């Protein structure tokens, strides 16, 4: 390969719709392009592959990228919703279906999973994330990777995945997208990096750098991140693609004088392919000629890129034959999307068993709100290829399934979620007056979350709060059940509505089959099992609020937390608080991480440890009795949390270290067992080494992160987790 051809492999260009320009075809013929993104017409992609394979000197096929974030034509719930399933199998299935539909269009590379830890619902991209917890995000991100890539990337229907955005993108200041992050190294290593390590261990084909300025060094020029962590410590064999123009943006950040320096910084740091901007094409050749950049550096990059093309089987078969793959939107795919939406919808409240609705008793439902009949908005963000014709909204699903026996009386009341024109309220209240059950479907349009779509106020937008209050006033007077269904791309501050509703189902943006899924949940043909992967703040001022907080030196206690309205006039300065909480919001979220209700109820008891002391090489089993106390079969997601009481660094008051899904019959009791080893207890300590430190650990098991059923054990000696790259098994070494 000539230097120019090598550099060509490191360049990715965006294709806009319409005929491909001759200049682009010429670039392919000269071997100056290694990849395109955003073209999804299979005939065009085959034609481009043909030019690359038959009309260029080396005949190297092209990587064809696309953001297949939560589905292609069949749209699954947004990733934050899918994370509520705590079901790796379900997530793997969804990614596999998305890969098959995308591959059928000629796509062979997706920019997903997005595994940024997200603890700020103001940030629009929390919608694309798998939530606030490193362990859960790691398990589910690995499952999504496996779903996209299958057992063998060369198999039809499998596409390469990308772990993004490396790293700490979710820590953007004030939840404002692209804003700087300030993440100290121990926080980076113990919170933001673990999901990426899990994706690397799952064999993810590529990484994508984030737009973020991380402690003053943007990710696309950050050699600590890309070289020390990713290549030296993890020995990651894949390649790194920049984010959209993030290499030329090094000039905008003010870390590179000009495009030439930006290209040098990025190439030296370890960016192997430049997405859309063209600083590599413009400057790498000269940088090699002047010796500022070693050709060996780009050889490594090119080898990683060519290796992926080889693994994808592109050298043998660069062309796509759609007939080899299932039709998009087939019944199996739609059923999988429906099941995913069922397992992603969280029951947050169910006073007096308002739900499930009784098919015999309910005769007239007032279905109110701007999102009840909108098959587009329920798809959510990042749905470029979503087939709206497949999408079934809630009104249609209710009418189809129950319309013969129940009057589904629909009033939009507001044109959109942002609408402030209340002229539709009168009709809505009239419908509520006529009905025996009121179902309000409120939330956010899809455009209010996703990239660059951040909100400083995360209440229900528009006049929706007023609409809900009007319905709640009527429901109280008429003594009618009021059910709130929320469709949104983030946790919203819905405490006022939560307080007044009889039942709350949080459906997020549930995707193509949102309507049928919610219909089944409303009438008990499906039972909610979802649990939150992210904490819900009471008010936006609490952010960041998440379960695995540090204890601080003055943690809140029931005795010290006082509400602003309860403070006596002229109270003494030191008589109030002196611990860590907000006078007007306390210290707890509205809903904690791991929370979710069922139509049944589960009880945990008899927690038992297999040992109360463990050596570095031991395992410890934690067993409990789980009892389905209800009168129906239901699934419970049981969670295991630990706390390292004393460390070389302060440790979170709780950390998720395991979860189990159990479907149980009415009345059934089952002993469930978790297992922990020293690696599970390890963290990067003050010396930046991964180690489980000797001392006392607390452990809890329950149905959410506030469970009190716990015990404790002692780790008798510290132990380092060495060779922590994912190629070799961790062989721990004890330390005295
Ligand atoms: C965007 C996003 C990234 C996406 C890329 C290509 O700006 O940050 O997640 O994969 O560009 O669309």
């Amino acid at each position: 390969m000539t230097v120019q051809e090598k550099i060509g492999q490191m360049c990715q260009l965006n294709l806009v719709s319409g005929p491909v320009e001759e200049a682009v075809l010429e670039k392919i013929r000269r071997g100056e392009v290694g990849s395109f993104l955003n073209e999804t017409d299979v005939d065009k992609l085959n034609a481009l592959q043909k030019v690359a394979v038959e009309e260029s000197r080396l005949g190297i096929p092209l990587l064809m990228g696309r953001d297949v974030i939560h589905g292609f034509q069949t749209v699954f719930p947004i990733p934050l919703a899918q994370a509520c399933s705590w079901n790796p199998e379900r997530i793997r299935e969804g990614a596999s279906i998305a890969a098959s539909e995308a591959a059928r269009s000629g796509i062979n590379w997706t920019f997903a999973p997005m595994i940024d830890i997200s603890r700020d619902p103001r940030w629009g991209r929390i919608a694309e994330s798998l939530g606030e917890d490193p362990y859960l995000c790691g398990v589910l991100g690995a499952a999504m990777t496996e779903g996209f890539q299958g057992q063998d990337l060369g198999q039809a229907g499998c596409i390469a995945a990308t772990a993004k955005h490396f790293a700490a993108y979710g820590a953007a200041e004030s939840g404002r997208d692209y804003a700087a992050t300030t993440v100290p190294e121990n926080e980076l290593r113990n919170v933001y990096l673990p999901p990426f390590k899990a994706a690397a261990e799952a064999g993810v084909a590529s990484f994508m750098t984030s737009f973020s300025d991380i402690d003053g060094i943007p990710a696309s020029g950050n050699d600590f991140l890309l070289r020390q962590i990713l290549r030296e410590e993890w020995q990651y064999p894949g390649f790194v693609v920049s984010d959209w123009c993030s290499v030329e943006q090094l000039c905008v950040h003010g870390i590179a004088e000009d495009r030439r320096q930006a290209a040098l910084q990025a190439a030296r740091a370890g960016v192997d392919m430049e997405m859309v901007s063209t600083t590599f094409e413009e400057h790498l050749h000269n940088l090699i000629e002047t010796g500022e950049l070693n050709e060996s550096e780009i050889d490594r990059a090119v080898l990683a890129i060519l290796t992926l093309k080889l693994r994808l089987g592109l050298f043998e078969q660069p062309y796509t034959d759609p007939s080899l793959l299932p039709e998009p939107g087939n019944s199996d795919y739609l059923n999988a999307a429906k099941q995913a939406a069922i397992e992603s919808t969280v029951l947050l409240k169910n006073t007096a068993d308002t739900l499930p609705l009784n098919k015999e008793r309910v005769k007239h439902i007032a279905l109110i709100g701007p999102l009840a009949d909108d098959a587009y908005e329920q798809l959510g963000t990042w749905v470029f290829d979503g087939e709206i014709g497949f999408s079934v909204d809630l009104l249609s699903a209710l009418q189809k399934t129950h319309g013969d026996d129940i009057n589904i009386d629909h009033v939009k009341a507001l044109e959109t979620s942002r609408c402030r024109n209340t002229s539709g309220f009168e009709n809505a209240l009239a419908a509520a007056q006529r009905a025996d059950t009121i179902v309000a479907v409120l939330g956010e349009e899809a455009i209010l979350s996703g990239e660059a779509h951040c909100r400083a106020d995360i209440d229900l937008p528009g006049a929706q709060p007023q609409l809900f209050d009007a319905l709640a006033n009527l429901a109280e007077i008429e003594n009618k059940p009021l059910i709130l269904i929320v469709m949104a791309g983030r946790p919203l501050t819905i405490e006022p509505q939560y307080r007044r509703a009889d039942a709350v189902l949080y459906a997020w943006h549930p995707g193509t089959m949102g309507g049928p899924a919610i219909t089944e949940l409303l009438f008990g043909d499906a039972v909610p099992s979802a649990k939150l992967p992210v904490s819900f703040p009471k008010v936006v001022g609490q952010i960041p609020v998440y379960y695995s907080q540090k204890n601080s030196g003055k943690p809140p206690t029931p005795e010290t937390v006082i509400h602003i309205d309860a403070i006596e006039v002229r109270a003494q300065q030191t008589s109030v608080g002196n611990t860590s909480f907000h006078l007007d919001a306390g210290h707890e979220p509205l809903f904690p991480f791991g929370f979710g209700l069922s139509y049944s109820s589960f009880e945990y008891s008899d927690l038992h440890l297999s040992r109360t002391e463990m050596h570095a090489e031991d395992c410890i089993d934690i067993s409990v009795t789980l009892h389905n106390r209800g009168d129906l079969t239901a699934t419970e997601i049981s969670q295991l949390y630990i706390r390292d009481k004393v460390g070389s660094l302060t440790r979170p008051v709780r950390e998720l270290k395991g979860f189990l899904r159990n479907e149980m019959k009415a009345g059934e009791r089952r002993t469930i067992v978790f297992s922990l080893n020293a690696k599970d207890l390890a963290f990067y300590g003050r010396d930046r080494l991964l180690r489980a430190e000797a001392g006392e650990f607390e452990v809890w098991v329950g149905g959410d992160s506030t469970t009190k059923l716990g015990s404790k054990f002692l780790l008798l000696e510290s132990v380092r987790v060495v060779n922590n790259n994912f190629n070799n098994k961790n062989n721990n070494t004890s330390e005295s």
Side-chain angles (χ1 to χ4, degrees):
M1 294 178 81
T2 65
V3 170
Q4 202 51 52
E5 287 166 333
K6 291 178 183 176
I7 293 168
Q9 289 301 308
M10 300 169 72
C11 299
Q12 179 184 59
L13 299 182
N14 184 50
L15 279 177
V16 293
S17 55
V20 180
E21 295 163 18
E22 186 53 32
V24 171
L25 298 177
E26 275 309 306
K27 288 175 85 69
I28 298 174
R29 293 187 185 106
R30 293 195 300 269
E32 294 174 2
V33 190
S35 172
F36 287 101
L37 78 156
N38 288 336
E39 176 52 66
T40 56
D41 177 298
V42 66
D43 295 331
K44 276 177 71 174
L45 290 172
N46 279 336
L48 291 169
Q49 292 287 17
K50 190 170 169 60
V51 171
V53 169
E54 297 182 8
E55 300 176 31
S56 73
R57 188 176 77 89
L58 296 174
I60 299 173
L62 299 159
L63 288 175
M64 301 298 194
R66 182 68 162 175
D67 293 282
V68 186
I69 307 296
H70 54 108
F72 196 68
Q73 290 106 329
T74 304
V75 178
F76 282 72
I78 55 171
L80 186 60
Q82 291 189 48
C84 296
S85 71
W86 296 51
N87 188 347
E89 213 19 70
R90 186 69 59 205
I91 285 176
R92 194 175 287 114
E93 177 188 51
S96 173
I97 289 170
S100 181
E101 289 189 339
R104 198 173 184 279
S105 290
I107 297 298
N108 50 43
W109 182 26
T110 178
F111 309 122
M114 188 273 209
I115 45 181
D116 298 300
I117 292 299
S118 308
R119 295 173 168 175
D120 191 333
R122 295 171 295 183
W123 190 45
R125 302 198 77 165
I126 194 170
E128 304 169 53
S129 81
L130 294 169
E132 71 182 52
D133 181 71
Y135 178 85
L136 181 64
C137 186
V139 170
L140 300 184
M144 199 175 273
T145 298
E146 291 158 358
F148 285 127
Q149 299 190 160
Q151 294 302 318
D152 170 4
L153 270 178
Q155 291 297 309
C158 298
I159 60 176
T162 307
K164 75 180 186 183
H165 305 80
F166 197 56
Y169 187 18
E173 279 178 348
S174 80
R176 193 163 29 86
D177 206 1
Y178 316 126
T181 73
T182 306
V183 179
E185 186 178 335
N186 82 67
E187 187 82 353
L188 189 70
R189 287 181 178 277
N190 289 313
V191 175
Y192 292 95
L193 295 186
F196 287 93
K197 183 73 169 34
E201 288 169 341
V204 72
S206 58
F207 271 54
M208 179 188 289
T209 56
S210 80
F211 287 121
S212 310
D213 169 337
I214 306 171
D215 297 352
I217 305 176
S220 299
N222 194 314
D223 54 341
F224 168 72
L225 208 53
L226 303 180
R227 198 161 303 294
Q228 180 177 330
I229 298 280
L230 189 59
R231 267 64 178 244
E232 288 161 25
E233 290 185 25
W234 296 358
Q235 294 174 27
Y236 177 66
F239 73 91
V240 175
V241 63
S242 76
D243 202 337
W244 187 287
C245 294
S246 65
V247 173
E248 75 177 4
Q249 286 168 11
L250 295 176
C251 303
V252 182
H253 278 283
I255 198 98
E257 281 289 341
D258 53 33
R259 297 170 66 81
R260 187 174 190 279
Q261 200 180 62
L264 178 58
Q265 286 182 10
R268 269 200 184 137
V271 173
D272 302 314
M273 184 184 281
E274 181 175 15
M275 181 187 280
V276 178
S277 53
T278 54
T279 68
F280 280 13
E281 177 190 325
E282 295 157 23
H283 299 290
L284 285 195
H285 202 158
N286 177 258
L287 286 164
I288 289 167
E289 282 170 340
T290 60
E292 292 169 85
L293 187 67
N294 293 329
E295 187 169 349
S296 62
E297 257 320 289
I298 70 167
D299 286 348
R300 184 197 52 74
V302 173
L303 179 61
I305 293 164
L306 294 179
T307 302
L308 177 57
K309 294 183 177 184
L310 191 68
R311 288 178 60 204
L312 282 164
L314 294 178
F315 288 100
E316 288 74 37
Q317 179 44 277
Y319 307 115
T320 299
D321 175 357
S323 67
L324 299 180
L325 290 166
E327 283 289 325
N330 64 57
S331 58
D332 291 341
Y333 289 2
L334 295 178
N335 193 45
K338 181 180 77 170
Q339 193 52 39
I342 286 170
E343 294 185 14
S344 302
T345 300
V346 191
L347 180 62
L348 295 174
K349 183 178 184 181
N350 194 22
T351 307
D353 292 338
T354 301
L355 292 178
L357 299 176
N358 182 317
K359 296 168 191 162
E360 310 313 321
R361 278 214 300 269
V362 173
K363 291 302 169 206
H364 191 145
I365 293 176
L367 185 69
I368 311 292
L371 297 172
D373 65 335
D374 199 317
Y376 170 78
E377 297 299 351
Q378 70 185 41
L379 298 180
T381 187
W382 282 112
V383 290
F384 294 130
D385 306 299
E387 176 48 67
I388 187 76
F390 297 160
S391 186
V392 183
D393 61 79
L394 178 57
L395 172 60
S396 308
L398 282 170
Q399 283 170 333
K400 178 170 181 247
T401 313
H402 299 288
D404 293 344
D405 312 312
I406 300 173
N407 179 347
I408 310 295
D409 192 343
H410 171 247
V411 177
K412 217 172 168 63
L414 292 161
E415 265 321 294
T416 70
S417 68
R418 287 166 289 156
C419 178
R420 298 187 181 285
N421 175 346
T422 60
S423 59
F425 283 21
E426 189 179 343
N427 283 346
L429 293 172
Q433 189 74 48
R434 295 189 291 265
D436 53 45
T437 304
I438 306 165
V439 177
V441 187
L442 308 175
E444 292 178 320
E445 294 145 86
I447 197 66
L448 300 184
S449 60
E451 181 169 356
H453 302 157
C454 306
R455 297 178 62 203
D457 170 350
I458 53 174
D459 288 349
L460 285 168
Q464 295 182 102
Q466 292 84 337
L467 171 61
F468 184 84
D469 276 343
L471 292 171
N473 293 340
L474 184 146
E476 272 166 25
I477 293 164
E478 303 280 329
N479 191 27
K480 290 176 181 173
L482 172 59
I483 294 133
L484 171 61
I485 295 171
V486 181
M487 292 189 186
R490 57 165 54 84
L492 296 176
T493 39
I494 57 164
E495 183 171 23
Q497 294 79 32
Y498 161 73
R499 296 286 173 222
R500 300 194 71 183
D502 295 297
V504 180
L505 276 173
Y506 214 88
W508 309 95
H509 286 130
T512 300
M513 296 300 281
I518 296 168
T519 298
E520 290 200 15
L521 289 166
L522 280 174
F523 285 92
D525 296 317
V527 178
S529 60
K531 302 269 187 177
L532 295 176
V534 64
S535 307
F536 273 55
K538 292 175 189 142
V539 289
V540 72
Q542 279 191 298
I543 294 171
V545 58
Y546 53 96
Y547 85 94
S548 54
Q549 302 249 5
K550 296 298 186 70
N551 204 28
S552 82
K554 305 182 84 173
T557 62
E559 299 71 39
T560 56
V561 173
I562 185 169
H563 191 273
I564 192 166
D565 297 337
I567 299 172
E568 289 177 12
V569 174
R570 292 196 175 76
Q572 285 300 308
Q573 172 65 27
T574 56
S575 67
V576 170
N578 295 320
T579 57
S580 180
F581 71 98
H582 293 107
L583 292 177
D584 48 1
H587 66 288
E588 291 170 328
L590 180 61
F591 306 114
F593 174 84
F595 176 76
L597 301 173
S598 168
Y599 293 152
S600 187
S601 69
F602 290 92
E603 184 179 67
Y604 292 79
S605 61
D606 308 324
L607 185 139
H608 175 72
L609 304 186
S610 60
R611 59 177 76 239
T612 53
E613 294 184 348
M614 67 183 278
H615 289 285
E617 66 280 5
D618 290 335
C619 272
I620 184 167
D621 291 340
I622 303 98
S623 61
V624 295
T625 300
L626 179 61
H627 177 203
N628 177 354
R629 298 173 55 203
D631 53 8
L632 51 90
T633 296
T635 295
E636 169 71 343
I637 298 165
S638 305
Q639 301 149 46
L640 172 76
Y641 295 90
I642 66 161
R643 180 183 179 184
D644 187 347
K645 291 302 289 295
V646 178
S648 59
L649 296 171
T650 56
R651 302 302 301 133
V653 294
R654 290 205 179 189
E655 290 177 87
L656 179 74
K657 291 296 179 183
F659 59 89
L660 295 168
R661 288 175 60 88
N662 280 281
E663 183 180 77
M664 297 174 67
K665 292 185 175 41
E668 185 184 351
R669 277 186 169 78
R670 190 178 295 174
T671 298
I672 61 173
V673 184
F674 294 92
S675 188
L676 286 171
N677 60 32
K679 182 167 178 274
D680 298 319
L681 309 177
F683 68 98
Y684 286 88
R686 199 175 295 200
D687 58 5
R688 307 277 191 266
L689 295 177
L690 187 59
R691 167 189 299 107
E693 297 182 2
E696 182 179 286
F697 287 80
E698 290 182 289
V699 60
W700 299 270
V701 174
D704 68 52
S705 57
T706 66
T707 176
K708 299 289 183 290
L709 182 61
S711 187
K712 53 189 168 187
F713 63 89
L714 212 51
L715 178 64
L716 295 170
E717 65 267 348
S718 295
V719 58
R720 282 222 22 230
V721 176
V722 294
N723 289 342
N724 189 37
N725 65 67
F726 55 91
N727 284 328
N728 312 322
K729 285 287 157 244
N730 290 323
N731 43 0
N732 303 341
T733 58
S734 302
E735 292 180 318
S736 56

